Amino acid sequence: MAVPLFLRTFAPMNTPIYVIEEERLRRNLALIRDVAHRTQSEWILAFKAFALWKTFPIFREYISATTASSLCEARLALEEFGAKAHTYSPAYKDDEFDDIVRCSSHLTFNSLTQYERFHERAGECSLGVRVNPEYSEVGTMLYNPCAPGTRFGVTADKLPERLPQDIRGFHCHCHCESGADVFERTLRHIEEKFARWFPQLEWLNFGGGHLVTRKDYDVEHLVRLMQGFHERHPHLKVIFEPGSAFAWQTGPLVSSVVDVVEDKGIRTAILDVSFTCHMPDCLEMPYQPEVRGAVAMDAEHTQCSGHCYRLGGNSCLSGDFMGMWRFDHELQVGEEVIFEDMLHYTTVKTNTFNGITHPAIGMLRSDGKLEILRRFGYEDYRKRMD
């Protein structure tokens, strides 16, 4: 069996690279397929979290649909996944709408004004409205879709008692990497606010953020919740559209040490990746991934004993660094530093600030061989400025 790239100690010519592990991906997909069967619901892939289209042939073995939030994502669904998308956008543009309809099986409107403007042009799409139950346990406001003043969805007090005849479903999104216990509490609010309209509907989309592939997720509790929901509303088709759950723990971002600098007693290992370019959630959320072979120090702890380093990105942004980490040895130039679980969201939120080399994308196949799916170079950066 070939030795995976990220198990070797020194490989400066081969980094940076995102590595998706086929075996772990298939494990997640099999679990999600089983959950979908047991909950009598449809689970579809949200491109906002994972859109590596060269993996879609694997996905098609387990699921049959995806969800899009833009024309580009809707085209990706139709042209690369091979099925029309469940599409939702905060606001559709007039010059894109007809193409979105062409690529969509379901179309959800964020507001009643958007519905009024576009519904007659929606063709055969099954139409829905995004609703806001005014409840979410997402603690980080940047990611809370139900925060006061939100631009997402229609509250119950703004809905007519009789929905327009062509509205077939409700869509609500309230979660972020949440467990079944959070869904139970959220579901209570959804039903209290909107159940009186359920007899007028055909489907209900519970959105994303349901992290069923996390080890501590209580799948059995979710199954019980959905059994009860189907008993109360047997005519409704239920849809979930997570993103992170599909790609959770499916592979790392492998980087290399380029230099080690020191100032005021703080040593920084400068890497050939950038947090602002390649791991933006580490600065935005902030999210701190695990680093293989290292222990994270307290956020306020800038001094520690042993081999301690702040990990720095290779951009000109002063704040392009993350935390303090203690290794069991002295880091050397050329040595790999591996950030775990870096496939979901990270790969779709990257940018080319400073023109820093974009990580390649590779797949570690089940037989242990690393297949390079894509390398990036100067022309990729240049064309974005064209």
Side-chain angles (χ1 to χ4, degrees):
M1 180 179 292
V3 179
L5 168 68
F6 51 86
L7 294 184
R8 299 202 294 268
T9 305
F10 295 93
M13 297 301 293
N14 293 315
T15 64
I17 182 170
Y18 296 103
V19 181
I20 183 166
E21 301 177 45
E22 180 181 2
E23 188 172 322
R24 291 185 175 190
L25 177 63
R26 287 187 179 277
R27 189 183 309 150
N28 283 356
L29 286 164
L31 189 153
I32 289 172
R33 180 175 61 186
D34 181 66
V35 169
H37 173 73
R38 296 181 62 199
T39 58
Q40 301 176 56
S41 56
E42 182 176 23
W43 289 64
I44 62 181
L45 170 66
F47 288 155
K48 67 179 181 180
F50 189 85
L52 298 182
W53 55 269
K54 288 184 179 179
T55 66
F56 288 175
I58 296 175
F59 276 81
R60 287 303 304 265
E61 296 177 31
Y62 300 87
I63 64 172
S64 59
T66 60
T67 179
S69 296
S70 66
L71 174 56
C72 287
E73 287 188 344
R75 285 190 58 181
L76 195 71
L78 181 62
E79 297 173 15
E80 301 298 339
F81 191 85
K84 292 185 175 184
H86 293 235
T87 304
Y88 158 81
S89 174
Y92 296 106
K93 294 177 60 178
D94 187 78
D95 60 342
E96 295 181 346
F97 188 76
D98 292 339
D99 283 332
I100 287 175
V101 168
R102 177 180 59 84
C103 299
S104 303
S105 61
H106 294 65
L107 200 65
T108 296
F109 295 100
N110 185 60
S111 67
L112 295 177
T113 53
Q114 281 264 298
Y115 163 80
E116 291 166 0
R117 180 179 177 186
F118 289 113
H119 77 104
E120 292 182 352
R121 293 167 53 185
E124 300 300 314
C125 292
S126 182
L127 303 186
V129 171
R130 177 163 177 168
V131 294
N132 174 14
E134 303 175 82
Y135 179 85
S136 174
E137 296 186 21
V138 177
T140 303
M141 285 301 102
L142 182 65
Y143 295 91
N144 187 337
C146 300
T150 182
R151 69 188 191 280
F152 297 133
V154 182
T155 52
D157 60 304
K158 294 184 174 67
L159 287 173
E161 284 301 316
R162 187 67 197 173
L163 297 173
Q165 288 188 348
D166 54 354
I167 293 296
R168 299 286 184 261
F170 279 171
H171 174 126
C172 53
H173 177 76
C174 311
H175 300 91
C176 179
E177 298 184 357
S178 303
D181 57 330
V182 178
F183 179 56
E184 179 179 23
R185 293 188 289 271
T186 307
L187 182 59
R188 190 178 307 124
H189 285 264
I190 293 171
E191 291 192 84
E192 287 175 357
K193 294 278 188 177
F194 299 106
R196 67 178 182 269
W197 286 283
F198 287 180
Q200 302 177 44
L201 303 176
E202 297 175 0
W203 53 265
L204 186 61
N205 186 327
F206 287 122
H210 308 270
L211 197 47
V212 293
T213 50
R214 189 173 59 197
K215 289 182 179 179
D216 64 351
Y217 190 96
D218 191 343
V219 170
E220 298 306 318
H221 189 46
L222 176 66
V223 171
R224 290 191 295 271
L225 289 175
M226 292 313 302
Q227 287 174 340
F229 184 85
H230 287 307
E231 289 174 2
R232 295 189 298 275
H233 313 287
H235 71 290
L236 281 179
K237 177 181 179 179
V238 173
I239 304 163
F240 293 88
E241 50 176 44
S244 295
F246 284 96
W248 186 256
Q249 297 288 348
T250 54
L253 172 58
V254 185
S255 68
S256 293
V257 178
V258 179
D259 196 11
V260 177
V261 299
E262 184 172 345
D263 183 63
K264 300 294 189 293
I266 299 175
R267 288 192 297 176
T268 300
I270 301 178
L271 309 175
D272 59 359
V273 292
S274 162
F275 294 96
T276 190
C277 296
H278 310 136
M279 297 172 275
D281 279 347
C282 293
L283 303 183
E284 290 178 5
M285 194 166 185
Y287 162 75
Q288 184 164 284
E290 293 184 10
V291 176
R292 191 173 301 182
V295 177
M297 304 305 296
D298 209 358
E300 302 299 323
H301 196 155
T302 57
Q303 306 269 346
C304 69
S305 60
H307 307 291
C308 296
Y309 301 86
R310 188 164 66 179
L311 299 180
N314 201 13
S315 81
C316 293
L317 177 68
S318 298
D320 189 3
F321 63 84
M322 183 189 69
M324 289 292 294
W325 299 84
R326 186 174 65 233
F327 291 78
D328 62 4
H329 63 280
E330 198 79 12
L331 292 182
Q332 303 295 320
V333 171
E335 181 175 353
E336 290 180 350
V337 173
I338 301 169
F339 297 93
E340 305 285 14
D341 195 22
M342 273 292 156
L343 274 296
H344 55 92
Y345 278 100
T346 297
T347 51
V348 296
K349 294 178 73 172
T350 57
N351 62 74
T352 58
F353 171 63
N354 263 180
I356 295 171
T357 300
H358 194 285
I361 301 171
M363 175 174 282
L364 183 64
R365 293 292 184 179
S366 298
D367 61 5
K369 295 179 180 179
L370 181 69
E371 177 186 351
I372 302 299
L373 302 180
R374 175 72 190 275
R375 290 195 185 278
F376 299 87
Y378 168 69
E379 285 301 319
D380 298 292
Y381 170 72
R382 177 180 174 275
K383 287 178 180 178
R384 290 195 66 178
M385 304 297 108
D386 191 352

